[in-house]
């Protein structure tokens, strides 16, 4: 016989993504450390953060204008203004050192504390200055143009919960509250290995003997956005001995080892089977209830996770969405899940699921005129649907028909800077 | 008099964002260069890209299995299989060198070319091997399990238009097509200057005399995501002479100079007026029809753009959304516009616009149970609405009431890794 495959030992026993993730992350540790808040953008909080101060720390003026006692303005009208005496020589930046008396007004600047006793600020453009008096043309209420102490956030109040991603705005808020360091989760260290004798790290037109190792770039680009720390990318030939030795070594030093390719039923598809048998791995799964991507497999080696992604590009991407991104999210202190922005669209062409109806499906979608057109079923070898469509829809297990005119969700996988047909701000 | 302001020369003449952008970008050049496609992630194409090859370059097998003549399988059934002779000694990776004759079958591997003459591949698990024959139990059509030449993309076909952002998937596709270098736009060089005597580059609780320069971090974090190349951040005191000299020098070397603060009507709000007068700038605007952020101003100095953002945080962010992001998008080869992901939500609390009804408004929103709650009108000094809400809605000019239960769009400003209440993939 030409081919001698020990089929039984390689057979898929398809699990749902959540069953597979449970095997991979059970008892898996996460690293935490203190970091200067100015370098913490994109990290995930490993502790609840509370405000150490009142913000603002005292009553501030919201405008450039005159701080007054509001009750002094009672009865002021455009025809019968009230006259208040301007106290000269008060530094507008230190006006809080002055105690305002009845009938007085003091010039203050935006964002600076108001004088003691003052409870309102009249904008400079709303008054008329005559000699050392101002004329006020309408009455104001207490608190007018005053930003009150603790109005933004009070001392001891919760700022952000453990598990929150530090966005640029949250980073700013924590700096404004004088929070110097925060405890965050360390980004997971990841190695990506392209597996196959034919792979080369060059940009060349593919041939029978040489294919560029391009999927590594796609996986790296997406994982980077999700906070993975890609410490290395490499190519390994179809050599089970070498593969096992390299991965065993890497698993001691990184959190996640990703292999792409060599997970199918062919005679050279050693990746998963060699690891399982030669390392005697107990925590593992072989096959996922997703399509494309059902050959996705994985193992736990100590405190590291190995995910074996299939090599056909659409399968690789599905594997990334259902297993890798939830796993990375878990390791960096969020998930084990993934949230994606989506567009609601109208399905243009009926989809029928014939094989594997109990699987999750990814189908690529092109959006048009605020409706959606599902493109024809494509070969998972093809890259153009991934690169040239606007996103994908997910057909849940058990659903075998998506009708014409049915509403579907089209998911967009970041990094996405432009999502066609979303609102345009011009 | 306490304050001596030349009010007239400082007065706002509010323009719409698109009017202001037109002044800033008219005749503005963009830099292009050739880059190795492997380093081009996130760049914008400065040329249309066409495929130099057919992908795949020949007919490939989609499975591990036996390449056959489909017509040889006519009439095969589960009870009456057809017998085909397996040609041994053919390298499955070089099967295309073999010419298949009638009645023959050759083992081929996934992703490798099929023999000459073959037009279908039967998966290994669908046949029974007996001696050097296979038994085929159902007839197959031409093209079965064959990935045809040019099926993914044909030679000469448009891959991506000028102005397209290179996503991880597009990068992979171009590598797969053997496209080594692409012409892209250079990322705009940006300097961010915090203006104010009180600013310090430390994380401290704010006081009357010292405030951390925190907005620079927020602006930098967001602009980085949008492809700005932040070459420098700095703090300058309220010294018009120094400000003008520094900005004049910077404008020779970078594309965009951003100042934050010092644009209001106070006596120390020199930023815009000093530049306009001391440099005799003609292309400029003073004030935007947006709220918050109406103090936003800008100037063109040669081939550089200076944007003066207001310093109150909510104003800074509005200014960023309506002017800075469209400007950066323009410079890197896309808009002068910005597209943001959004969630449709139901407004919980009536909003009434009292001042500036002809302005665009930003209002922060917290999403709950797939509805939206508009938080109470807030002071633009406050940071917590920016940091702790889920996004913002934009109320267009002329709209003065947003009713309870009215549908609104809640925009999410990237980088956003998690958008609450969007679909969760578990």
């Amino acid at each position: 016989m030409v081919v001698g495959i020990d089929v039984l030992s390689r057979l898929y026993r398809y699990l749902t993504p959540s069953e597979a993730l449970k095997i991979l992350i059970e008892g898996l540790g996460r690293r935490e450390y203190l970091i200067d808040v100015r370098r913490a953008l994109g990290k995930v909080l490993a502790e609840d953060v509370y405000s150490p101060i009142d913000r603002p720390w005292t009553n501030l003026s919201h405008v450039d204008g005159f701080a007054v006692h509001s009750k002094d303005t009672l009865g002021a009208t455009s025809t019968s203004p009230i006259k208040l005496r301007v106290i000269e020589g008060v530094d507008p930046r230190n006006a809080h050192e002055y105690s305002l008396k009845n009938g007085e007004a003091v010039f203050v600047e935006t964002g600076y504390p108001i004088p003691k006793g003052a409870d309102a600020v009249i904008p400079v453009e709303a008054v008329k200055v005559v000699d050392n008096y101002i004329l006020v043309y309408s009455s104001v209420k207490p608190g007018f143009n005053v930003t009150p102490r603790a109005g933004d956030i009070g001392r001891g109040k919760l700022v952000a919960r453990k598990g929150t991603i530090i966005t640029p705005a949250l980073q700013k808020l924590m700096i404004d509250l004088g929070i110097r360091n925060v405890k965050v989760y360390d980004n997971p260290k990841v190695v990506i290995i392209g597996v196959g004798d034919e792979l080369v790290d060059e940009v060349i037109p593919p041939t029978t003997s040489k294919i560029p190792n391009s999927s590594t770039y796609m996986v790296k680009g997406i994982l980077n956005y999700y906070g993975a720390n890609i410490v290395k990318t490499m190519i390994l030939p179809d050599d089970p001995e070498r593969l096992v030795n390299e991965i065993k070594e890497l698993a001691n030093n990184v959190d996640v080892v990703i292999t792409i390719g060599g997970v199918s039923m062919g005679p050279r598809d050693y990746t998963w089977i060699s690891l399982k048998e030669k390392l005697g791995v107990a925590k593992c799964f072989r096959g996922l209830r997703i399509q494309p991507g059902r050959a996705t497999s994985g193992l736990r080696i100590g405190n590291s996770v190995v995910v074996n992604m299939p090599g056909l590009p659409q399968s690789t991407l599905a594997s990334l969405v259902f297993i890798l991104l939830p796993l990375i999210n878990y390791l960096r202190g969020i998930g084990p899940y993934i949230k994606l922005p989506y567009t609601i669209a109208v399905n243009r062409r009926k989809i029928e699921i014939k094989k594997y109806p109990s699987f999750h499906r990814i189908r690529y979608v092109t959006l048009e005129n605020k409706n959606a057109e599902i493109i024809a079923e494509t070969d998972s070898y093809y890259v153009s649907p991934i690169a040239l469509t606007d996103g994908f829809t997910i057909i849940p297990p058990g659903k075998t028909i998506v009708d014409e005119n049915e509403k579907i969700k089209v998911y967009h996988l970041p990094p996405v800077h432009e999502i066609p047909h979303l609102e345009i701000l011009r």
Side-chain angles (χ1 to χ4, degrees), chain A:
Chain A
M1 225 332 270
V2 184
V3 277
I5 306 172
D6 175 5
V7 172
L8 267 185
S9 71
R10 292 169 175 263
L11 274 188
Y12 299 109
R13 291 185 182 84
Y14 302 113
L15 300 186
T16 65
S18 60
E19 287 166 343
L21 278 164
K22 206 180 153 197
I23 291 169
L24 294 184
I25 67 177
E26 203 174 24
L28 198 59
R30 298 194 271 206
R31 287 187 305 277
E32 306 170 4
Y33 67 114
L34 267 188
I35 191 172
D36 184 322
V37 74
R38 292 171 294 183
R39 296 198 312 272
L41 184 66
K43 305 275 183 196
V44 177
L45 287 172
E47 61 182 355
D48 292 345
V49 171
Y50 296 88
S51 180
I53 59 164
D54 284 332
R55 181 173 203 276
W57 68 99
T58 186
N59 297 326
L60 304 180
S61 177
H62 185 54
V63 294
D64 295 319
F66 292 92
V68 300
H69 290 289
S70 60
K71 64 181 188 313
D72 283 350
T73 68
L74 275 175
T77 66
S78 57
T79 51
S80 154
I82 276 173
K83 213 169 157 186
L84 297 175
R85 191 160 64 90
V86 173
I87 306 302
E88 297 197 42
V90 176
D91 178 353
R93 294 179 178 200
N94 287 304
H96 58 292
E97 292 171 0
Y98 183 79
S99 291
L100 198 77
K101 292 163 209 70
N102 289 342
E104 293 182 349
V106 159
F107 184 76
V108 289
E109 285 185 28
T110 307
Y112 280 84
I114 60 176
K116 289 186 196 77
D119 68 349
V121 183
I122 306 175
V124 66
E125 55 268 41
V127 302
K128 195 169 173 184
V129 184
V130 180
D131 300 328
N132 58 339
Y133 286 88
I134 54 168
L135 298 179
V136 179
Y137 297 92
S138 63
S139 69
V140 296
K141 288 182 181 160
F144 187 67
N145 281 321
V146 173
T147 304
R149 173 176 185 151
D152 191 9
I153 199 160
R155 182 178 179 154
K157 216 190 140 187
L158 183 71
V159 175
R161 288 207 180 282
K162 181 175 166 168
T164 302
I165 296 171
I166 300 173
T167 60
L170 180 57
Q171 183 182 35
K172 169 177 165 56
L173 178 60
M174 293 194 294
I175 294 172
D176 284 337
L177 297 174
I179 297 168
R180 263 193 201 84
N181 300 299
V182 284
K183 200 193 273 178
V184 297
Y185 294 103
D186 202 2
N187 286 352
K189 287 181 197 159
V190 177
V191 170
I192 306 173
I193 306 173
V195 179
D197 292 343
E198 71 282 16
L199 295 179
V200 292
D201 191 17
E202 293 164 54
V203 182
I204 50 152
T207 63
T208 305
S209 57
K210 279 188 169 191
I211 290 179
N213 182 32
S214 59
S215 288
T216 291
Y217 287 90
M218 178 175 71
V219 171
K220 183 180 175 181
I222 295 168
L223 290 187
N224 252 333
Y225 176 80
Y226 280 99
N229 174 13
I230 316 287
V231 293
K232 196 177 183 177
T233 64
M234 59 198 288
I235 294 172
L236 286 178
D238 293 310
D239 173 346
E241 193 83 26
R242 188 158 159 211
L243 199 73
V244 169
N245 289 339
E246 290 270 8
I247 291 179
K248 195 177 157 189
E249 178 69 25
L250 286 167
N252 287 327
N253 298 302
V254 301
D255 301 298
V256 181
V257 179
I258 298 171
T259 65
I260 307 176
V263 291
S264 189
M265 301 290 283
R268 291 177 300 111
D269 292 333
Y270 301 119
T271 319
W272 183 86
I273 196 74
S274 314
L275 287 165
K276 177 168 165 50
E277 288 175 0
K278 301 208 177 175
L279 300 179
V281 176
K283 286 187 175 186
C284 62
F285 72 95
R286 169 77 166 151
L288 270 193
R289 302 179 86 83
I290 64 172
Q291 181 69 358
R294 66 192 163 88
T296 303
S297 303
L299 317 93
R300 257 288 281 289
I301 300 178
N303 205 36
S304 292
V305 174
V306 180
V307 178
N308 305 121
M309 301 171 99
L312 293 182
Q314 294 187 24
S315 307
T316 310
L317 197 74
S319 178
L320 190 80
V321 167
F322 285 105
I323 290 291
L324 245 316
L325 296 184
L327 174 66
I328 295 296
N329 256 2
Y330 172 81
L331 285 169
R332 66 193 288 244
I334 314 170
Y337 58 82
I338 180 78
K339 297 180 183 183
L340 298 175
Y342 66 76
T343 304
I344 301 268
V346 175
N347 184 31
R348 274 270 189 80
R349 200 177 303 164
K350 185 176 171 179
I351 309 173
E352 258 180 288
I353 305 301
K354 287 173 187 159
K355 270 170 89 179
Y356 307 108
S358 64
F359 283 29
H360 276 93
R361 329 283 293 203
I362 281 185
R363 293 293 286 273
Y364 294 92
V365 172
T366 300
L367 293 170
E368 265 175 28
N369 302 319
K370 299 195 177 181
N371 290 332
E373 185 175 25
I374 297 290
I375 59 167
E377 182 146 21
T378 52
D379 189 321
S380 57
Y381 171 87
Y382 293 173
V383 184
S384 55
I386 303 179
L388 307 180
T389 57
D390 298 314
F392 52 82
T393 192
I394 294 175
I395 306 168
K399 189 168 171 69
T400 55
I401 305 266
V402 184
D403 260 325
E404 211 184 312
N405 296 325
E406 198 174 322
K407 282 200 176 168
I408 58 171
K409 283 175 181 163
V410 180
Y411 295 92
H412 309 285
L413 189 62
V416 56
H417 297 245
E418 289 221 301
I419 300 172
H421 310 286
L422 286 199
E423 190 75 348
I424 299 169
L425 302 176
R426 279 183 195 276

